[in-house]
Amino acid sequence: MVHRLESLVVRHALRLPAPAGPAGEGDVAARQFDAALMSVGFKLSADALRTLSGLSESTVLGTAAPTLAAVRGMTGDHVEHNVYFKDFPANVPDTFEFWMRCVREALEDGKARSGVLAQLRNGVINLLTLPSYGNYRHSYEEMLAAHDELTAAVGDRLTVLHLGGTLEDELSALYLALAGSSTPLGDEHLADLKVLAEHCADGPQPETIPVRENRAVVNEARLKAGSGLLLDTVTDVLRLACALSGGDVSLQEPTRFRGLSRPARRALLAGLDEVVARAPAKIADVLTHREAFKRLGERLHPHEHPQWPYAAEVFAVARGEKKAHSFDSRVEALLGADDVSGAVLLLKSAPGKLFRALDRLLRTARTQEERDAVVAAVEEVAPEVSGRVVLSVREYLHNRSGDTDRKRVFINRAGRAHVTDDARQAVPEQERERLIAVLDAETARRLPAPERLLVDPDVLGVALPLSGRATSAGLGVLPRGSVSPVDGELLRFFVYWKQARKVTDYDLSALLLNAEYETVSWLSYTNLRSMDGEHSGDITDAPDGASEFINLRLGAVRGTYIVPQVNIYSGEGFEEAEESFFGFMLREGEQKGRPFEARTVRMKSELRGPGRVALPLAFRRARDGSWHARWLHLYLKGHPAYNRVEGNQVSVATLVRAVVEREQLTVGHLAALMANSGTEVTTWDPESVPDVPVTYIGLERPEGLHPESVVITPENLRDLIPE
């Protein structure tokens, strides 16, 4: 368990908890540890190396083992990455010639010959029936022997692990950061929060937990520890019940409620009773999740507990036995009567709902007086709205200009996406600009005002993490919509999957598009080699895990966009497989080495979304020839089976275009607001590190900063979102 907790700190904070152990001469072991880290693209900070060198050898070795396991898992180096073509990317054959070779080998195989002959007579060959197709023809060790050692290059990734505090201090800080996050967490981070909440139940707690899903996870731990629950609405109680049943605390998917213990049932009923007794109007929230409350009532048996009458009313509303008029229904009634002013007046009592209804209010308003009332209401209640909502609405309004060719992109919390034409009436331009000015002023008011802000230019294009579900767990992963530079001559994608119960075939492909989003070419198992690059070969069964790669020479790529994708041809979905992840590497032109080299991995993310086609990111060539990555984290529904790059070219191109042409709010936006408010914003210069405390924003924490400096990196970028 201790090793798992240490791994959490390394993964989330890139910090090494200060080891507890006797002093000694651990310098040799510390240097060996550092060398092992560098082999997978990490290294110890000078502080960490110095501290470890002064500890006993056994303490250093005890620290090294779990840390190395954690970073190898972060890069994908914890598994063996074999390839079908042993010499990949060299000697990849022409696709048709390769298929013919497989047919010839099948004809020479006594067991397969008759079946292949029968297929030939019918004129159609099923590649999956050929013995030499789709399965490794050599061992992992034989593949390694066919490749030279990786030659180190200046561009190889070296991620620094900084020295942290004690393990308990680091865990407490991480728990407070995740639990108190102002933005929703992804599923992986929610799972980590659950572990931390149970471990830290008796320690310091965040002052507020603004995200409801986080509150449910914390409440589950508090219930087990016998602490008081944090309940503000009846939906908080429903989310807690879902957490106790191992269900979806976001309430997007139905939960099958388990039989709950007597103490848990009593706590849930008492919680409902207290919430409604304190604020009777909140009982109307039941209507939003009526079916879920009805199913929960079947487990809680509220009629057996007359001491909690308000809890019984909750389930009476769910069953339709008691009337309750929701806030939303009152708003709808006013808008249905074309009473925009009345709707605005009512919505002022629920500022968050007012902000989310802005588009409709402005389109519904018939007079300038009504539009002025909308803007005035926003100005009045803006200080009461969360920073995340303020920024989300600001981004939304920025993309609601009067362009006639706009597309609407719908992306749900799980990353499932689709695109449609935007047929809505335009938002009045004057009011749109006025509202943007109001929201910018409100954001600037809440932002910190450091005397000096140092900014790494590469972080300016990183999208603000307005939702943790707009990203995936992994290494070097940025929020959806982020743009980051790509430095290197060779771009190599990789996918790894291991099936859990049945034969599973994932296909790594890359679609190449021109500036008009039209298909130029692609690389996949149906097109193994082109002037752009090479595919490592099709693997169709992964009982022990399987990998596929695509190698691209960026200087030779035709077109403007590269869109890697992972298609599920057959078998288990991304959420069903035992393990599945995607990533990319960057290498210099002459670098050799194995197909997978952890030091060259720039990004690795888990594949854990719905749908049968994954679109992790896209790459775009600028006019000056440089390349940039645009982060997507999207999934297409696809077909139940036989998904191929040839079959989804149009839908992928349409989606990529819609996302690429949508402008995101970035770190650069907040930096500009801070600069306009009087903060001195300076470009980071590693050759001139100030010796006084500063605020630094960048992709990685640099060494040498004053210990009292405030450091913002992708690991804690959510801290940049004002409350």
Side-chain angles (χ1 to χ4, degrees):
M1 181 62 178
V2 172
H3 288 172
R4 182 183 181 187
L5 295 173
E6 290 175 341
S7 175
L8 282 178
V9 175
V10 172
R11 286 192 291 108
H12 282 274
L14 294 177
R15 291 164 70 89
L16 189 70
E25 297 182 358
D27 54 329
V28 173
R31 289 197 300 271
Q32 292 173 338
F33 177 26
D34 197 34
L37 284 171
M38 285 192 283
S39 72
V40 290
F42 290 79
K43 75 178 304 296
L44 295 171
S45 69
D47 228 12
L49 183 60
R50 183 168 50 251
T51 299
L52 287 171
S53 296
L55 299 174
S56 68
E57 181 177 327
S58 61
T59 301
V60 176
L61 296 177
T63 301
T67 304
L68 283 167
V71 299
R72 284 186 170 130
M74 290 168 66
T75 62
D77 193 50
H78 61 297
V79 298
E80 296 180 346
H81 293 277
N82 204 346
V83 286
Y84 183 90
F85 299 115
K86 184 169 61 176
D87 299 328
F88 173 83
N91 302 318
V92 173
D94 172 80
T95 309
F96 184 74
E97 291 177 359
F98 167 63
W99 290 350
M100 290 302 98
R101 187 177 76 194
C102 291
V103 172
R104 287 195 302 272
E105 291 174 354
L107 291 173
E108 295 168 359
D109 185 323
K111 295 181 180 179
R113 179 180 175 82
S114 60
V116 174
L117 286 173
Q119 292 185 61
L120 287 171
R121 283 192 290 269
N122 291 330
V124 178
I125 290 287
N126 182 354
L127 292 173
L128 299 181
T129 65
L130 305 179
S132 61
Y133 187 88
N135 297 291
Y136 292 118
R137 312 302 292 172
H138 49 264
S139 68
Y140 176 69
E141 290 72 21
E142 289 172 331
M143 184 275 295
L144 293 183
H147 293 271
D148 298 329
E149 288 293 320
L150 178 71
T151 303
V154 175
D156 288 350
R157 177 185 54 80
L158 273 181
T159 302
V160 178
L161 295 181
H162 294 267
L163 184 66
T166 66
L167 178 59
E168 287 305 317
D169 286 346
E170 290 292 331
L171 291 173
S172 178
L174 181 56
Y175 165 64
L176 293 174
L178 292 181
S181 171
S182 61
T183 61
L185 304 176
D187 291 337
E188 298 88 352
H189 286 183
L190 264 182
D192 291 342
L193 175 58
K194 180 176 181 178
V195 173
L196 290 165
E198 293 178 358
H199 182 81
C200 300
D202 297 327
Q205 300 296 311
E207 292 183 10
T208 60
I209 304 180
V211 177
R212 300 289 179 175
E213 293 94 327
N214 298 0
R215 188 178 300 179
V217 172
V218 171
N219 273 332
E220 181 184 12
R222 293 174 71 89
L223 182 62
K224 292 178 181 178
S227 303
L229 299 179
L230 308 173
L231 303 172
D232 182 53
T233 68
V234 294
T235 311
D236 283 342
V237 180
L238 179 61
R239 293 183 196 275
L240 173 56
C242 290
L244 293 170
S245 297
D248 178 16
V249 295
S250 73
L251 306 181
Q252 299 300 302
E253 299 292 334
T255 293
R256 185 182 182 88
F257 292 110
R258 300 171 181 167
L260 301 172
S261 67
R262 183 176 179 82
R265 294 198 305 271
R266 294 176 66 87
L268 293 173
L269 287 169
L272 284 173
D273 193 79
E274 181 183 355
V275 167
V276 178
R278 189 169 58 238
K282 291 186 177 182
I283 199 170
D285 294 345
V286 172
L287 300 175
T288 306
H289 303 285
R290 172 178 283 169
E291 290 302 317
F293 273 106
K294 286 166 64 175
R295 294 195 302 274
L296 178 60
E298 294 169 358
R299 292 292 186 182
L300 298 185
H301 309 295
H303 59 279
E304 298 177 2
H305 301 277
Q307 69 270 40
W308 295 309
Y310 293 106
E313 289 185 15
V314 167
F315 299 104
V317 170
R319 294 190 300 269
E321 299 168 359
K322 179 181 174 65
K323 293 293 184 182
H325 298 285
S326 70
F327 184 89
D328 290 343
S329 67
R330 294 162 62 194
V331 173
E332 287 297 326
L334 290 167
L335 289 176
D338 292 330
D339 186 358
V340 174
S341 297
V344 169
L345 185 62
L346 177 60
L347 283 165
K348 283 170 62 177
S349 64
K353 289 182 180 292
L354 171 64
F355 268 53
R356 293 181 175 91
L358 276 179
D359 189 288
R360 184 179 178 188
L361 291 170
L362 289 171
R363 286 186 288 112
T364 305
R366 294 171 297 177
T367 67
Q368 186 62 48
E369 182 181 359
E370 289 180 331
R371 290 191 288 271
D372 288 342
V374 173
V375 177
V378 170
E379 289 179 305
E380 181 179 342
V381 305
E384 303 175 44
V385 180
S386 73
R388 180 173 69 91
V389 172
V390 169
L391 288 167
S392 296
V393 173
R394 165 59 166 88
E395 180 179 281
Y396 175 82
L397 289 172
H398 179 77
N399 288 280
R400 274 290 274 140
S401 64
D403 294 355
T404 57
D405 196 29
R406 285 280 181 183
K407 300 288 185 181
R408 294 188 72 181
V409 185
F410 295 91
I411 304 173
N412 68 13
R413 298 166 67 90
R416 179 79 66 79
H418 74 275
V419 179
T420 184
D421 291 329
D422 192 346
R424 295 171 299 174
Q425 176 185 349
V427 172
E429 186 62 20
Q430 180 180 344
E431 280 66 40
R432 191 179 74 89
E433 292 180 356
R434 288 170 61 192
L435 286 169
I436 286 176
V438 169
L439 300 179
D440 282 347
E442 178 60 28
T443 301
R445 185 186 67 81
R446 302 188 195 188
L447 286 171
E451 291 185 9
R452 189 175 180 191
L453 174 65
L454 301 182
V455 180
D456 174 2
D458 288 346
V459 82
L460 294 175
V462 174
L464 298 178
L466 302 179
S467 170
R469 296 179 180 272
T471 187
S472 302
L475 172 73
V477 180
L478 298 176
R480 180 183 299 126
S482 295
V483 176
S484 57
V486 173
D487 299 317
E489 299 174 59
L490 295 177
L491 175 63
R492 184 170 299 175
F493 305 125
F494 61 90
V495 66
Y496 174 89
W497 75 100
K498 184 178 182 182
Q499 62 205 38
R501 291 177 298 278
K502 58 183 178 181
V503 174
T504 297
D505 179 4
Y506 288 2
D507 290 324
L508 177 64
S509 306
L511 182 64
L512 309 183
L513 306 172
N514 63 19
E516 287 71 44
Y517 302 93
E518 298 167 336
T519 299
V520 174
S521 181
W522 66 82
L523 282 163
S524 70
Y525 76 93
T526 63
N527 189 33
L528 297 171
R529 190 182 69 194
S530 73
M531 65 180 293
D532 311 286
E534 300 83 23
H535 190 286
S536 67
D538 190 19
I539 303 297
T540 60
D541 191 10
D544 302 312
S547 301
E548 291 184 8
F549 297 82
I550 286 177
N551 194 64
L552 287 165
R553 294 171 291 279
L554 289 175
V557 167
R558 297 165 289 169
T560 304
Y561 297 94
I562 304 170
V563 189
Q565 56 184 266
V566 182
N567 293 277
I568 300 179
Y569 188 82
S570 63
E572 298 166 344
F574 299 119
E575 296 176 324
E576 299 171 304
E578 181 177 321
E579 185 175 13
S580 59
F581 56 81
F582 166 90
F584 74 86
M585 295 172 273
L586 285 171
R587 302 191 185 188
E588 304 301 329
E590 301 303 319
Q591 270 188 297
K592 303 298 182 182
R594 299 169 294 181
F596 181 90
E597 293 282 5
R599 277 184 293 176
T600 65
V601 172
R602 295 297 193 276
M603 169 269 195
K604 174 255 184 181
S605 68
E606 303 299 318
L607 293 175
R608 276 292 181 263
R612 309 288 282 184
V613 180
L615 300 173
L617 73 174
F619 296 81
R620 181 179 186 178
R621 191 205 310 264
R623 291 182 179 178
D624 63 1
S626 62
W627 287 88
H628 292 79
R630 182 83 176 215
W631 300 76
L632 303 178
H633 306 299
L634 298 176
Y635 293 86
L636 296 179
K637 181 178 181 181
H639 302 288
Y642 315 127
N643 293 286
R644 299 192 306 162
V645 63
E646 296 94 327
N648 62 33
Q649 295 175 45
V650 175
S651 57
V652 167
T654 301
L655 181 58
V656 168
R657 179 173 188 170
V659 174
V660 166
E661 294 183 354
R662 178 180 174 83
E663 296 184 47
Q664 308 287 140
L665 281 190
T666 64
V667 172
H669 173 71
L670 295 189
L673 290 179
M674 294 168 75
N676 292 337
S677 299
T679 294
E680 179 189 349
V681 180
T682 306
T683 300
W684 165 250
D685 180 4
E687 302 299 323
S688 179
V689 181
D691 57 2
V692 295
V694 297
T695 297
Y696 169 84
I697 307 176
L699 293 179
E700 293 184 352
R701 182 190 185 103
E703 292 202 66
L705 286 178
H706 190 282
E708 296 181 13
S709 294
V710 175
V711 179
I712 303 292
T713 63
E715 287 72 36
N716 65 335
L717 195 59
R718 57 184 170 270
D719 295 344
L720 201 57
I721 307 299
E723 294 183 0

